[in-house]
Every structure is written in structure tokens, then in C-alpha cells.
Amino acid sequence: MRRGPMVIALVFLPFMTAYLLSEMFRNVNGVVGRILRAELGIGPEQLGLLTAVFLAAIAGSQIFVGVALDRYGPRRVVGSLMLIAAAGAVLFAADDFGRMVAGRFLIGLGMAACWAAAFKANATWFRPERLALANSATLGLAGLGALAATLPTELIIARTHWHNVFFGLAAIAAVLAAVIWLVVPEPRADAARGATDHASIGDAFRGLLAIATSRVFWKIGPVSFLAQGVWLAYQGLWAGAWMADVDRLAPVPAATTLMWLAMAIVAGQLGFGLIADRLQRRGISLWTTMAATTTGFVVVQAMLLLAPSPGVSRALWIAYGLFTAGPIFTYALLSLALPSALSGRAISLLNLFATLAGFVLQYGVGVIIEGWSPLAEGPHLDGHYPADAHRTALGVMVAMQGVALVWMLWPGWRPQPAARGNSVRSGGCCRMPATHGLTPSADGLGAWRGSRAVSGLS
């Protein structure tokens, strides 16, 4: 492929769509949750577990996903795993709690590579200076999946059974898997990638360990995966519960607010991605943009604790969506600070911690809320919980992110970009990575360790 539009059509769009579907699966319980509580007779803790097991499956598979992406490429990994998601969606459409947990786990396993594969493909095909924009566009457009999981899903459920939603998602996953297998091309010969493909499994995991013990990962990683964990926990489930219990919104207005939240995420990812792209051209680093927007994300959550009215709260949820762009810039920072031969593992490792945080926090919020008694306990335990329960849970989330934010912003060392060297360009907006001007090794670490541009990373 020599032209940017072909790369966008045959690489960017298929992987972005796969991630869009993953966002739909992740967030659909925010609307379906109240129905599940009524039909299954479960409380917040069980609902949190049923929803969060999706994230547990993703977190538990990320190490293997990262190695597989670097060895076999996004096309083969995503095209295969999405069939598992289709089977899981069918299993989830049951009225048995145990089977639904198993189905939700399989959905998460099938969607486990979508995020990392999209970012890996971007790191492979797009020029380094456009990577933040490409990643933001991926997240922004994929956010349409989260949007579809709000008011549109509420309106569909009002006209049919919620089972049909999951049958439809299963069919879409199967079709998309076939499209990715048949349409997405393999990248051209790449010395760094080729060397990684022929590396042993032991070498691949040693590369992962080197990233996991690097200074760059633990400087910018904690606030990113905690902030993403809170984002996953609330957009996927507890924001809707907040709107019902704290703001006392009816189902349709709550779903509408969730839709505006999802739209804000789309706008924020795209808008801040464009801003970061422009600022980098003017000499303002991606690190600075990431720090500012992540700070904004934490501040908005703190303001939610003090919101005096439902109207103010709804506005703050929209701002919450806009600032989710902040922790996502970390993926571009890691991709630029490390050689491309390690990018799949680096992205997946960060995603591992982010989704693991999402699982723990989504379940943990339910545990905290259930520490209070419901205000009006109905026959299916679907009564409202006190506002103080929700505020306590969110306060804990804000405190943890605040500590990690201070650690990231503490004066001292800052990540530096890896030596990129010359690249083989394939079009106006995209490139195929070469060897970063360094000699590749079997596990991708020789070039990394040999570069003075990444001193302090290992």
C-alpha cells in the first residue's frame, strides 16, 4: 500500500471497528444492568462482578496478547479471538447467573486484543509524529460503540427483549472476524518485526519483563491505568447507577446522559488528539498535554463529589468524558519511547494494568455501595442506594488517582523518545518502521539497550 487512504480503509477502519464493538460490549451493562438486577434478583456486588468479569478476562490475557501481537500481527490475533466473543455473547443471553458470568468472561477474552491491536497497527503503519492523532482517532471513533450502548440500546430493549441485543452483537462479531481475516494486509518486510517473529517465546517474555521493570513505565503508568480503571468502572456501569441514585434520573434521561457522556468521549479523544498534534508541531511535548488533560480528568471527578444539582452533575459527566483523552496519551508516549519491536508488548502491558484496575475498581465500587442499605428495597432488590454510598466510592477513586498524579508530576526524570532512525514511507500519512537506525536483536531489546536516546528506560 502506497497511499494513506488505503491504509486508513484497510488497516485503520477494521481495527477501529473491532475496538468499537468491544466498547459496545463493555458498556452495554450500564443500560441492561437495571433489567438484570430485576430479572435475576441480584444486588450491586453481584452486578459489579457480572460486569467486571469482562475486564478480568482482558486483563488476564494481556501478557499473551502482547507477545502474540508482536509475533503474529494484529490481523491473525484479532480475527481469531473475535469468534470467541461471538460464542460468549450467545452464552450471555441466558437467565442463569453462572452461565452469564461465563459468557461475559468469553466476551472479554474475545475482545482482549482489540485495543492493543489497533494501537499496534497504528504504531506499525503511521509516522511517529502522527501516532498520538491516530490513537486518539481510534479511541474517539470507537467511542461510538459506547454511545450505541446507551440510549439506542435503551430504545431497542423497549421494543424487544435484551437477549436479542446480544444475539445481534454475536453476529456482528463473527462477520467482523471474517472481514479482518480477508481484508487486512500483512505489513511489508520489517527488520525489527521480522526479528521479533523469529524470536523464541523466552526472548519475547524477557522483552516484556524489561518493559515491566523500566523507569518510563512506572513513571507514567500508574496514573494512566488507575484513571482508565475508573473510566472503565463508571462508564461501563456505575455512572448510570450514580444518575439513578444520586441524581434520581428516570431510565430514559439517565440513558440520554450516558449517551452525551459517550459523545463527549468521542469529541474529547478527537479534539485533544488534534490539539496534541498541533502542540507537538509548535514544540510543546506530548508529555505536557498528557499531564494537563489527566489532571483535568481527576479534577472533574472531585467536582462531581460536590455537585449541588442534577444539572451540574450532568454537565460534569460530559466534562468527564472530554478529559478521558488524558490517560490515553500514555499509549503514544510508550510507543514513541520504545522501539516498535516492543510496542505490542508495551501497549498490552499497560492495557493489562488498566483493565485489571477496571475489574478491581468496578467490583470494588459495588462492594462499597453495598455497605449501605438500599433506601427502598423492592422484591427484586432494585431500590435506590444512598447518595453518600456513591460519593464515598468515588471519593476513594479520586484519592488513589490523586496520589498517582502527584507521583507522575513530581519534578525529575521525564521519558525521552527512542531513536527512530530512517523509516520506509508508504504514503503521505503513514510509514513502515525500519530498524530505528540500530541493529535489531532477536527479542527487540538489543536496539533498545543500545540507544542512548532511551537512557533511563531500562
Side-chain angles (χ1 to χ4, degrees):
M1 278 181 290
R2 296 185 178 182
R3 301 183 61 183
M6 291 295 291
V7 174
I8 293 172
L10 300 183
V11 178
F12 176 84
L13 287 178
F15 290 116
M16 183 279 296
T17 304
Y19 183 53
L20 185 154
L21 183 61
S22 177
E23 286 289 279
M24 176 72 177
F25 273 122
R26 179 173 67 84
N27 291 287
V28 70
N29 278 14
V31 169
V32 177
R34 62 178 177 81
I35 302 174
L36 299 180
R37 286 173 63 182
E39 289 190 0
L40 302 177
I42 60 177
E45 182 179 348
Q46 285 182 296
L47 180 60
L49 175 63
L50 177 61
T51 305
V53 72
F54 174 92
L55 300 175
I58 293 178
S61 59
Q62 282 309 292
I63 290 178
F64 302 98
V65 163
V67 172
L69 285 173
D70 283 334
R71 287 176 61 85
Y72 305 113
R75 169 180 164 269
R76 302 176 193 177
V77 175
V78 175
S80 301
L81 288 180
M82 289 192 70
L83 295 176
I84 298 176
V90 173
L91 183 60
F92 188 85
D95 294 319
D96 177 77
F97 182 77
R99 291 182 182 179
M100 294 176 73
V101 169
R104 183 78 174 167
F105 182 87
L106 289 177
I107 294 171
L109 186 61
M111 295 286 109
C114 291
W115 175 304
F119 281 18
K120 170 69 174 179
N122 289 346
T124 300
W125 291 92
F126 286 87
R127 292 180 180 179
E129 64 271 17
R130 312 315 298 270
L131 186 55
L133 178 58
N135 285 354
S136 295
T138 298
L139 267 292
L141 294 175
L144 296 174
L147 189 152
T150 59
L151 183 60
T153 298
E154 182 72 42
L155 297 176
I156 292 172
I157 292 174
R159 290 166 173 78
T160 184
H161 200 277
W162 66 267
H163 288 173
N164 295 328
V165 172
F166 283 88
F167 289 142
L169 292 174
I172 293 171
V175 170
L176 187 55
V179 169
I180 289 174
W181 267 106
L182 297 174
V183 171
V184 175
E186 292 289 344
R188 294 178 181 176
D190 179 319
R193 179 182 181 278
T196 305
D197 282 348
H198 291 91
S200 68
I201 293 292
D203 286 338
F205 278 97
R206 278 191 288 274
L208 188 69
L209 180 62
I211 298 167
T213 56
S214 67
R215 188 187 300 181
V216 64
F217 187 85
W218 289 107
K219 180 66 173 179
I220 65 179
V223 70
S224 178
F225 56 69
L226 281 174
Q228 289 182 73
V230 172
W231 169 17
L232 295 171
Y234 274 86
Q235 189 193 10
L237 181 62
W238 295 117
W242 178 288
M243 294 166 196
D245 293 352
V246 179
D247 299 332
R248 296 299 180 89
L249 297 180
V252 171
T256 302
T257 305
L258 288 172
M259 181 183 70
W260 282 107
L261 167 60
M263 292 175 65
I265 291 173
V266 174
Q269 297 293 341
L270 294 173
F272 280 116
L274 288 169
I275 290 171
D277 188 61
R278 295 285 181 87
L279 291 178
Q280 285 187 94
R281 295 183 187 184
R282 297 183 180 182
I284 299 176
S285 69
L286 182 59
W287 166 275
T288 301
T289 306
M290 180 263 193
T293 47
T294 303
T295 300
F297 182 64
V298 177
V299 169
V300 166
Q301 294 170 61
M303 294 173 67
L304 267 169
L305 295 172
L306 305 174
S309 68
V312 174
S313 179
R314 295 174 81 173
L316 287 172
W317 281 116
I318 292 173
Y320 176 101
L322 290 172
F323 281 104
T324 55
I328 300 305
F329 285 133
T330 308
Y331 291 88
L333 281 172
L334 280 178
S335 295
L336 294 174
L338 306 176
S340 63
L342 299 173
S343 62
R345 280 164 283 182
I347 292 167
S348 292
L349 188 64
L350 183 58
N351 201 32
L352 161 65
F353 282 96
T355 50
L356 183 61
F359 166 72
V360 172
L361 298 181
Q362 196 166 67
Y363 178 64
V365 168
V367 171
I368 293 173
I369 292 173
E370 200 156 334
W372 278 255
S373 298
L375 296 176
E377 186 170 301
H380 298 293
L381 302 178
D382 57 351
H384 292 290
Y385 278 76
D388 285 346
H390 288 274
R391 290 195 175 102
T392 299
L394 183 57
V396 173
M397 304 299 110
V398 171
M400 290 191 298
Q401 293 170 88
V403 171
L405 183 62
V406 170
W407 164 250
M408 186 192 76
L409 297 177
W410 197 263
W413 179 86
R414 294 288 185 270
Q416 301 296 322
R420 311 303 290 186
N422 297 323
S423 61
V424 181
R425 303 191 177 192
S426 59
C429 70
C430 309
R431 54 92 185 172
M432 290 299 301
T435 62
H436 310 289
L438 303 166
T439 303
S441 66
D443 60 1
L445 289 173
W448 186 26
R449 292 167 174 159
S451 172
R452 298 182 63 84
V454 293
S455 59
L457 293 179
S458 59

